[in-house]
Amino acid sequence: MKRTLYYLLAVFTVLCAVSCNDDEKELSSLTGIWNYTRPHFEFEYAADSIVIEMYQGRKMAVATEEVKEIFLRMATVKMQDYFQGIEVISANRMNITAKMQTAQPFKIGADYDQTTEFIEVSLDKKDMQQLVGEKADMIPAVSFRYTLQNETLTMYFDEAYVRTIYAMMENRIVPMIVDNMGIDFEHMPEGVRQQVTEGVKKQIPLILEKIISLKIGFVLTKA
């Protein structure tokens, strides 16, 4: 059961982790330091449970409410370990403050474009190369929906964005999901991994189609 839940969460978190002109008041409203407060997760599904085919005809039903609870619990622990917040320097420039577990915090520079609905963030390739090497060139700009109320900024992906990213990156996302299913393929007959991979490819679009509403992101509070 635990592996099944991790598999389901991987579908979302892998997706998880991309411009127009606004008036000057809106563009300058973000200037300042925003501290990470908590994860933001809203999920409405077209059924009370999500049915998952694991492999060899095995199925598991996971309650939608249980998915919400476990995702929030995991996100609360993981995000606060790595993400501290952002510093908006100007109308198109920010720094993202992060850390690697117990290491000292570090900053990643980024350009951004803001509209009334979206904030599109493009991480500096040079800064990212120090963290992930050559993979930095494969990291696209990320488009967040956002709401700004008083001194609280919520940034998140919605279901439409998740579907789009999955369609663009299916060949990269599916193997990552399979790797997180916790299946020991070395002790299974040849061809089982391929069978599981094909099964995941068929299931994810069906799961995505049943998502009524999905918001995955974080809440920031102005310092």
Side-chain angles (χ1 to χ4, degrees):
M1 179 65 171
K2 188 175 181 181
R3 286 182 177 178
T4 303
L5 292 172
Y6 284 167
Y7 160 50
L8 181 59
L9 292 172
V11 174
F12 299 126
T13 55
V14 169
L15 296 172
C16 290
V18 126
S19 120
C20 339
N21 295 323
D22 282 314
D23 59 50
E24 189 61 28
K25 182 179 179 181
E26 288 180 324
L27 288 173
S28 63
S29 64
L30 296 181
T31 302
I33 296 174
W34 298 84
N35 295 321
Y36 168 74
T37 303
R38 63 183 183 275
H40 180 73
F41 182 62
E42 297 179 27
F43 180 49
E44 186 178 356
Y45 198 64
D48 293 334
S49 61
I50 300 174
V51 178
I52 304 167
E53 279 191 30
M54 296 296 287
Y55 58 93
Q56 296 179 343
R58 299 182 183 181
K59 295 183 179 181
M60 179 70 72
V62 184
T64 304
E65 289 301 318
E66 191 171 359
V67 172
K68 293 180 184 179
E69 293 175 5
I70 293 179
F71 184 93
L72 278 173
R73 187 162 60 247
M74 291 178 61
T76 298
V77 173
K78 295 298 182 182
M79 290 190 73
Q80 69 186 9
D81 284 345
Y82 298 101
F83 178 51
Q84 294 196 317
I86 62 176
E87 178 185 9
V88 179
I89 302 169
S90 67
N92 57 16
R93 187 68 182 170
M94 69 169 64
N95 289 322
I96 298 168
T97 305
K99 61 180 179 177
M100 301 299 288
Q101 295 180 339
T102 58
Q104 290 296 316
F106 59 90
K107 292 184 178 181
I108 302 172
D111 293 325
Y112 77 94
D113 290 314
Q114 179 189 8
T115 72
T116 54
E117 294 185 29
F118 296 94
I119 298 174
E120 183 173 271
V121 179
S122 300
L123 301 175
D124 286 356
K125 299 298 184 184
K126 185 176 180 180
D127 289 350
M128 291 305 297
Q129 283 175 351
Q130 296 179 6
L131 297 175
V132 298
E134 296 179 355
K135 293 181 179 179
D137 293 332
M138 298 186 292
I139 298 175
V142 181
S143 184
F144 296 93
R145 284 189 176 273
Y146 76 98
T147 59
L148 179 59
Q149 296 181 335
N150 297 323
E151 295 188 340
T152 299
L153 173 64
T154 303
M155 300 173 65
Y156 61 90
F157 305 130
D158 64 7
E159 65 278 2
Y161 185 78
V162 168
R163 291 189 186 104
T164 299
I165 291 299
Y166 177 76
M168 293 171 56
M169 304 178 67
E170 179 186 59
N171 290 336
R172 290 174 56 189
I173 293 172
V174 170
M176 295 174 69
I177 293 173
V178 173
D179 289 341
N180 280 276
M181 290 176 69
I183 301 174
D184 185 1
F185 291 106
E186 291 186 4
H187 296 86
M188 289 190 172
E190 185 177 351
V192 170
R193 183 184 181 91
Q194 182 63 29
Q195 178 184 342
V196 172
T197 300
E198 292 302 320
V200 169
K201 279 187 178 182
K202 292 179 181 178
Q203 289 180 75
I204 293 180
L206 297 176
I207 292 173
L208 293 177
E209 285 177 5
K210 291 183 179 181
I211 295 175
I212 298 173
S213 176
L214 175 64
K215 296 179 181 179
I216 303 176
F218 46 85
V219 178
L220 303 165
T221 304
K222 198 165 189 177

